[in-house]
Amino acid sequence: MKTAVMLLTTATLALSAGAAMADTSGKRIALSNNYAGNSWRQAMLKTFEETADQAVSDGVVAAADAYTTSENQTTEQAAQIQNMILQGYDAILLNAASPTALNGAVKEACDAGVLVVSFDSIVTEPCAYRIAVDFVEMGRQEVEYLSERLPEGGKLLEIRGLAGVSTDDAISQGIHNGVEEFPQFEVVGSVHGDWAQDVAQKAVSGILPSLPEVVGVVTQGGDGYGAAQAFAAAGRETPLIILGNRQDEMAWWAEQRDANGYETLSLSIAPGVASLAFWVAQQILDGEEVPKDLTVPFLKITQDTLDEQLASTPVGSVANVAYTLEDAKAVIAGAK
């Protein structure tokens, strides 16, 4: 009888373990991305594809496919999500065109039994998971840094990202929170640079003639070098421009540092957050209990770390961190 009880107990434990850690080798994951028109998004897609291809090769999942909409349009991305549901994907990773406009499509996915993990630009639908840095704090820290470098304050130009995207709203909110905290600064102009150097350069060039002297430029990434080019073309003195970890920005920063001692700060979310989203989704599909909201640190580059980061960042790309399965487990454990 004792032997029978022991065998039954062992079998029960094995079944419990199997239920908690189901095999994901047959699962299919899709990435829905709303925009690919800058170096950050290109690096994000590349990191996802490298992680996903290796995971498929290793038999961790059956498929992991990336899809990007042709325009940053919520209607197109909602249709893309609905197609993914029809195609039978088990999980959708979502970099969203809007925090709210896609909630209906996300709810459809959840109701169909499809896991949704939003990252970077997240959604507010309660059934979805969210992975992001504290973008509000990132924006606030930009102004805090300016207060340390320029204690007397002055006029600021704000370059925003893609209109309507949660990331843009959050960073801008943080910047304005920082201005309230350090009232010696005043935002005297704001333009949308779409996180792209060429768009930012054109937008800044258009607003500069109407602006007084600007001591600092607060940004969102992918816009700092474009802003510098616009100031140079207008024959105006280069202000203190906060950068966003793009290779062209860091190369310009290093040139200016060597030429005249230029010093600034660069910070952004690492494009590798897509690889973290992949592994978080895999863990949820594997039966792991994961909090709905996960926060990761933003990647900050200072004068002391500039050369190291520039040397390791390919031309045309972005300073990056690729996350592993172990990294994902650590983030999940930390959130618990």
Side-chain angles (χ1 to χ4, degrees), residues 1 41 47 53 87 90 96 101 107 110 113 129 143 148 154 165 196 266 286 297 332:
M1 179 66 70
R41 290 299 179 108
T47 305
D53 289 350
Q87 290 175 50
D90 299 286
K107 184 67 163 56
C110 294
Y129 291 78
V143 184
E148 296 167 358
V165 175
S266 183
D286 211 21
I332 293 167

Side-chain angles (χ1 to χ4, degrees), residues 10-301:
T10 303
T12 302
L13 288 172
L15 285 171
S16 298
M21 297 299 289
D23 181 21
T24 61
S25 61
K27 301 296 185 180
R28 299 168 65 238
I29 297 175
L31 167 63
S32 172
N33 175 47
N34 67 305
Y35 178 75
N38 60 38
S39 57
W40 192 96
R41 290 299 179 108
Q42 292 295 325
M44 182 270 289
L45 289 168
K46 185 174 186 293
T47 305
F48 171 79
E49 288 167 1
E50 290 172 349
T51 300
D53 289 350
Q54 188 62 54
V56 171
S57 177
D58 291 343
V60 177
V61 293
D65 306 309
Y67 302 89
T68 297
T69 57
S70 57
E71 298 288 342
N72 179 43
Q73 298 293 331
T74 56
T75 52
E76 186 181 357
Q77 193 169 26
Q80 184 183 73
I81 293 168
Q82 289 162 345
N83 285 336
M84 290 172 173
I85 299 169
L86 293 174
Q87 290 175 50
Y89 283 101
D90 299 286
I92 297 171
L93 310 182
L94 178 62
N95 203 334
S98 165
T100 56
L102 294 172
N103 282 348
V106 170
K107 184 67 163 56
E108 284 183 45
C110 294
D111 289 346
V114 181
L115 167 68
V116 179
V117 178
S118 63
F119 68 97
D120 183 35
S121 295
I122 55 178
V123 293
T124 58
E125 165 54 47
C127 74
Y129 291 78
R130 286 160 289 277
I131 304 173
V133 304
D134 187 342
F135 286 114
V136 174
E137 174 61 13
M138 194 175 98
R140 191 203 68 81
Q141 283 195 22
E142 292 190 32
V143 184
E144 181 178 58
Y145 175 77
L146 290 176
S147 73
E148 296 167 358
R149 293 288 313 285
L150 306 168
E152 294 182 2
K155 313 294 187 185
L156 303 179
L157 169 63
E158 178 186 14
I159 306 178
R160 298 189 58 164
L162 275 173
V165 175
S166 65
T167 304
D168 169 58
D169 292 336
I171 297 174
S172 182
Q173 178 188 331
I175 287 169
H176 288 270
N177 289 351
V179 170
E180 288 184 11
E181 184 179 349
F182 303 99
Q184 65 268 40
F185 293 104
E186 177 189 3
V187 175
V188 293
S190 179
V191 295
H192 280 276
D194 293 358
W195 305 315
Q197 305 293 4
D198 56 341
V199 178
Q201 181 175 349
K202 184 176 180 180
V204 173
S205 295
I207 198 175
L208 269 182
S210 66
L211 296 183
E213 180 186 358
V214 171
V215 300
V217 180
V218 282
T219 66
Q220 296 197 5
D223 41 24
Y225 181 65
Q229 295 298 99
F231 274 88
R236 296 182 60 152
E237 183 177 349
T238 303
L240 203 167
I241 304 172
I242 305 296
L243 305 178
N245 296 1
R246 276 59 171 179
Q247 186 273 339
D248 51 6
E249 294 178 323
M250 292 190 289
W252 172 83
W253 177 7
E255 290 172 0
Q256 297 301 307
R257 176 202 60 193
D258 295 344
N260 53 46
Y262 191 84
E263 183 176 349
T264 187
L265 174 71
S266 183
L267 65 174
S268 180
I269 184 172
V273 68
S275 59
L276 179 63
F278 172 86
W279 287 117
V280 167
Q282 186 273 334
Q283 284 293 283
I284 297 169
L285 292 173
D286 211 21
E288 182 68 33
E289 289 187 11
V290 176
K292 282 295 179 72
D293 292 279
L294 298 174
T295 302
V296 293
F298 41 81
L299 179 58
K300 184 184 296 187
I301 301 171

